[in-house]
DNA sequence: TGTGAATGTAAATAACATTCACATACCTAA
DNA sequence: TTAGGTATGTGAATGTTATTTACATTCACA
């Protein structure tokens, strides 16, 4: 009985009542603390106040628990991205950038989910439910890219929308993975990960022919406006340097 | 003695003679097979034909072994990138793209090193040797970005060279991590990771004002190849499609 | 050749994943 | 209401791993 943490019999009899949920939550907490590798099945059981064997009634093994967490993560991720995309309102480009920020915010706010999803070594294509959830989440990015692709100015080479989506995903994941989380593998940055990603996406979009000039702080430029050519040279003589995407706020 | 694999006493007496190297190599093989999480200290010892306690004479613990591998990985990585960069020959842009391909090739050819470096959960800033090696490797990308920054056409807003380097690194890592390796976390792609990254980098460079159809704007020797001309539209289908940024070779 | 340092071994401890026989609680059909 | 089936949790096992400790062997070298 030494494993029984704080649970009293009065509170929880022989049956836990909601063990599956409790285990998922406990695992999430443990991953947040010690990374996806550091989490142990036995620890999750301990947190939930059950014997080390109890979890096997709900998950085939440790990996299935991890896989379940990853799946939930993708579901929440999809919801977050969907909300950020907001079907392209108020305009495609600014909504697209908002998706990028939402991506990073998710990685930062839910590091446990993010690790489980992308860094836990769980194979996605083995579990159909998991890969479906992953596909749905990526579908948001892809849908946004499709809309963006339809707006690329003529006269500019345009990659397939899928490829654009993959580029954005790759850069987002790269930034999140290398610089985005506070805990593990921290690398010092002279800027915030958010600023880094935003600037990268803006440059990328400019490479696709989108006008990405910003005025003042951070409102959206309309994507349908006539292209004001990208900013004046920063090397020229700017009396008031354009507040481009690469400001220099201190990193977190 | 059951752990003694195939080693004969005649070959290796009481002392192994080169255990540290053997352990590093064994660990590398194990990581390549089963991922950085799947590798066990005991297994490495078994592979080397020594007792489970022997490795502790050479590494404080399992993590130090992993850390050593990551450090070596960064050293090899630096060498590879240095060679690819070739000090910007024959011209800065094509050399830059070659660095991108070399990045991906390293991730693909040395998945064990790459995992140890970026996905093993080893904290970089704890070990000074490790973080120094990491910095040196990134220094190559940064140096390349500096040179590139000096060439950005006037009239285009330009981010700091460091930021450019971080963008390229992020996209490279994102592509490598999400799509680059054959074994773990495989995601199906309608193109090769190499093509994906190359196209992404080209678009990014275009966003910085670089002409991606190579003409004598600022470079001495264009890249010996006819430019990957971004066709005006993906709808256009030339009779012999050039190996443009977004070709469609089947993924591996 | 003797000695200390380096290197390897064996045994022990503790934690973990996983399985299995068994215990207990819940649920439903008679 | 109750008997039995099912879901859920327990305890005790097995086998593996990380890590430590006391001890053994070999090497380098004075």
């Amino acid at each position: 009985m030494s494993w029984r943490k704080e649970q009293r019999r009065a509170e929880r009899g022989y049956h836990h009542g909601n063990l599956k949920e409790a285990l998922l939550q406990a695992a999430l907490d443990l991953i947040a603390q010690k990374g996806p590798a550091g989490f142990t099945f036995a620890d999750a059981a301990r947190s939930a106040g059950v014997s080390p064997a109890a979890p096997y009634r709900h998950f085939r093994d440790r990996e299935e628990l991890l896989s379940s967490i990853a799946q939930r993560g993708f579901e929440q991720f999809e919801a977050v991205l969907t909300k950020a995309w907001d079907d392209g309102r108020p305009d495609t480009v600014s909504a697209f950038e908002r998706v990028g920020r939402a991506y990073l915010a998710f990685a930062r706010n839910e590091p446990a989910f993010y690790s489980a999803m992308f860094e836990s070594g769980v194979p996605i294509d083995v579990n159909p439910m998991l890969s479906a959830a992953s596909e749905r989440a990526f579908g948001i990015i892809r849908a946004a890219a499709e809309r963006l692709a339809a707006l690329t100015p003529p006269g500019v080479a345009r990659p397939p929308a899928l490829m654009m989506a993959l580029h954005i995903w790759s850069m987002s994941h790269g930034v999140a993975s290398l610089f985005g989380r506070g805990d593990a593998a921290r690398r010092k940055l002279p800027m915030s990960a958010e600023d880094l990603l935003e600037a990268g996406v803006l440059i990328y979009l400019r490479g696709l022919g989108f006008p990405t000039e910003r005025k003042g702080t951070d409102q959206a430029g309309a994507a349908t406006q006539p292209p004001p050519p990208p900013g004046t040279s920063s090397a020229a003589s700017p009396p008031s340097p354009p507040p481009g995407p690469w400001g220099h706020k201190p990193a977190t």
Side-chain angles (χ1 to χ4, degrees), chain A:
Chain A
M1 302 241 186
S2 59
W3 45 263
R4 197 179 300 278
K5 212 174 102 183
E6 292 286 335
Q7 307 287 346
R8 292 165 296 242
R9 281 271 174 177
E11 243 182 60
R12 176 191 81 71
Y14 193 94
H15 285 96
H16 181 287
N18 203 14
L19 184 53
K20 189 163 188 172
E21 281 307 313
L23 288 171
L24 286 166
Q25 187 55 53
L28 210 48
D29 293 346
L30 289 169
I31 293 173
Q33 287 173 5
K34 304 186 295 183
F39 132 81
T40 77
F41 221 33
D43 241 339
R46 207 164 6 233
S47 292
V50 294
S51 80
Y56 289 86
R57 296 294 179 195
H58 300 274
F59 302 97
R60 192 170 3 81
D61 54 17
R62 185 178 170 284
E63 179 169 311
E64 191 179 275
L65 207 181
L66 223 41
S67 177
S68 290
I69 290 179
Q71 182 181 333
R72 287 190 176 209
F74 278 114
E75 284 159 5
Q76 291 199 204
F77 196 42
E78 182 198 353
V80 161
L81 296 183
T82 299
K83 186 176 171 197
W85 172 233
D86 192 22
D87 203 32
R89 278 178 288 260
D91 66 274
T92 305
V93 172
S94 66
F96 199 75
E97 290 162 11
R98 204 171 47 217
V99 169
R101 283 192 295 274
Y103 190 111
L104 220 49
F106 182 85
R108 199 188 284 283
N109 298 333
E110 302 288 353
F113 273 129
Y114 199 84
S115 322
M117 290 155 64
F118 293 111
E119 299 166 344
S120 65
V122 171
I124 42 301
D125 49 344
V126 168
N127 182 343
M129 300 287 284
L130 176 59
S131 62
S134 165
E135 284 303 314
R136 279 195 301 275
F138 175 62
I140 305 302
I141 300 178
R142 177 169 180 168
E146 305 265 11
R147 288 272 283 280
L148 206 58
L151 287 182
T152 49
V156 175
R158 179 171 64 195
L162 170 60
M163 182 176 259
M164 289 173 46
L166 293 171
H167 285 150
I168 295 300
W169 193 12
S170 295
M171 189 178 282
S172 303
H173 175 66
V175 169
S177 177
L178 291 174
F179 314 106
R181 266 85 46 69
D183 49 355
R186 188 206 307 277
R187 282 182 171 82
K188 291 179 281 298
L189 266 193
M191 68 207 75
S192 75
E194 283 78 6
D195 289 348
L196 179 65
L197 179 60
E198 181 170 355
V201 170
L202 283 173
I203 293 169
Y204 179 84
L205 292 182
R206 208 162 59 192
L208 291 174
F210 285 93
T212 56
E213 203 49 30
R214 288 290 163 113
K215 39 179 188 170
T217 23
D218 73 345
Q219 57 268 33
T224 51
Q225 284 178 357
T232 50
S233 161
S234 59
S237 57
S240 63
W246 32 88
H248 29 52
K249 302 168 215 159
T252 54

